Amino acid sequence: MIDRRLLLTLAPALLLAACGSGGAKSDANHLSVAATAVPHAEILEQVKPVLAKEGLTLDIRVFNDYVQPNMQVDQGQIDVNYFQTKPYLDDFNASRGTKLVPIAGIHVEPLGAYSRKWKTIAALPNGASVAIPNEPSNGGRALLLLQKAGLIRLKNPANPLSSLRDITANPKSLQFRELEAATLPRVLGEVDLALINTNYALDAKLNPVRDALAIEDKDSPYVNYVVGRPGAATDPRVVKLIAALRSPAIKNYIETTYMGAVLPAF
């Protein structure tokens, strides 16, 4: 039989061990960041040695989707993430019941429209198949770009969360396919046009400046943010990360590495 007094003595220690297991490593010298591979993880790699000199180890965890980076930060498995725009975050919070907050904007990735079959937007035939992201933020963003290119008209031309139901004019009778954003480069040869986020376009060796038939300009409101739980903005580790990401060296790295495919937002 186990001595009840021994259990009472061990209980606090067992509780602490349980609470400390499996989550983000939260010591003052370690910061975990979820990111998509290109360009977010590449940019983070540039600040890693800078932060190391300040005594902070940056643990970069790469994801190929837009859901898990938020879920794991919300659950405390990872400290912060860097991959998303505010419209996407707002929709995610509303649909998932999370309370994640934007901390600092770092860069803009202009969304582009790509084709392996046609050289210009004007060449798209009637009934052309068009693939767009299947979640509200990036799907609405894709529709706004198609409207700007003159292919469709929307009920509210400025609504960032417009859906297919909001199309009021479709002169070419475009046929839309809503697919997961990460899969769009893989179906590019199967459709007439695909609206692809720049991180996935770059990962697929597409050059947004050269290859996109239509692309957002430098005034795009879709800034990519570092995101965390409430209170993360005052965490000294996160403060160091933001200072490093918004440094002149990183601004120069973004401008010279991506040549307009990624634009600094600071």
Side-chain angles (χ1 to χ4, degrees), residues 20 25 35 47 51 59 81 87 138 146 151 159-160 181 183 219 245:
K25 187 177 178 181
V47 302
L51 294 174
D59 177 10
N81 65 47
N138 283 305
L146 291 174
L151 291 172
N159 180 12
T183 69
D219 297 321
L245 286 172

Side-chain angles (χ1 to χ4, degrees), residues 16-190:
L16 285 172
C19 291
S21 64
K25 187 177 178 181
S26 58
D27 67 71
N29 301 316
H30 180 279
L31 181 70
S32 54
V33 185
T36 46
V38 182
H40 306 82
E42 292 177 343
I43 295 171
L44 288 169
E45 287 290 348
Q46 300 305 305
V47 302
K48 195 171 185 178
V50 175
L51 294 174
K53 291 178 181 177
E54 299 181 26
L56 181 62
T57 298
L58 193 63
D59 177 10
I60 304 167
R61 304 187 192 179
V62 178
F63 291 79
N64 63 2
D65 75 293
Y66 289 162
V67 175
Q68 283 304 310
N70 273 342
M71 295 306 298
Q72 293 201 27
V73 170
D74 181 65
Q75 294 163 4
Q77 301 298 313
I78 297 177
D79 294 310
V80 294
N81 65 47
Y82 171 38
F83 75 96
Q84 66 194 308
T85 66
K86 190 174 183 299
Y88 177 82
L89 175 63
D90 290 343
D91 178 70
F92 190 94
N93 280 333
S95 62
R96 302 273 180 161
T98 50
K99 300 185 186 303
L100 300 172
V101 296
I103 299 170
I106 307 301
H107 74 266
V108 173
E109 299 172 20
L111 182 80
Y114 300 85
S115 178
R116 295 207 188 281
K117 299 180 180 180
W118 312 102
K119 297 295 185 183
T120 66
I121 286 289
L124 282 176
N126 289 336
S129 56
V130 179
I132 66 173
N134 67 351
E135 44 81 19
S137 172
N138 283 305
R141 184 179 180 183
L143 294 178
L144 289 179
L145 182 58
L146 291 174
Q147 176 180 247
K148 184 177 179 181
L151 291 172
I152 60 171
R153 188 162 63 246
L154 297 168
K155 181 166 57 179
N156 180 351
N159 180 12
L161 295 178
S162 292
S163 70
L164 295 178
R165 295 187 300 274
D166 297 314
I167 297 175
T168 58
N170 182 6
K172 287 184 179 251
S173 300
L174 302 177
Q175 303 299 306
F176 290 95
R177 294 175 60 184
E178 296 179 284
L179 302 171
E180 186 178 347
T183 69
L184 290 172
R186 297 200 292 272
V187 302
L188 187 53
E190 304 169 17

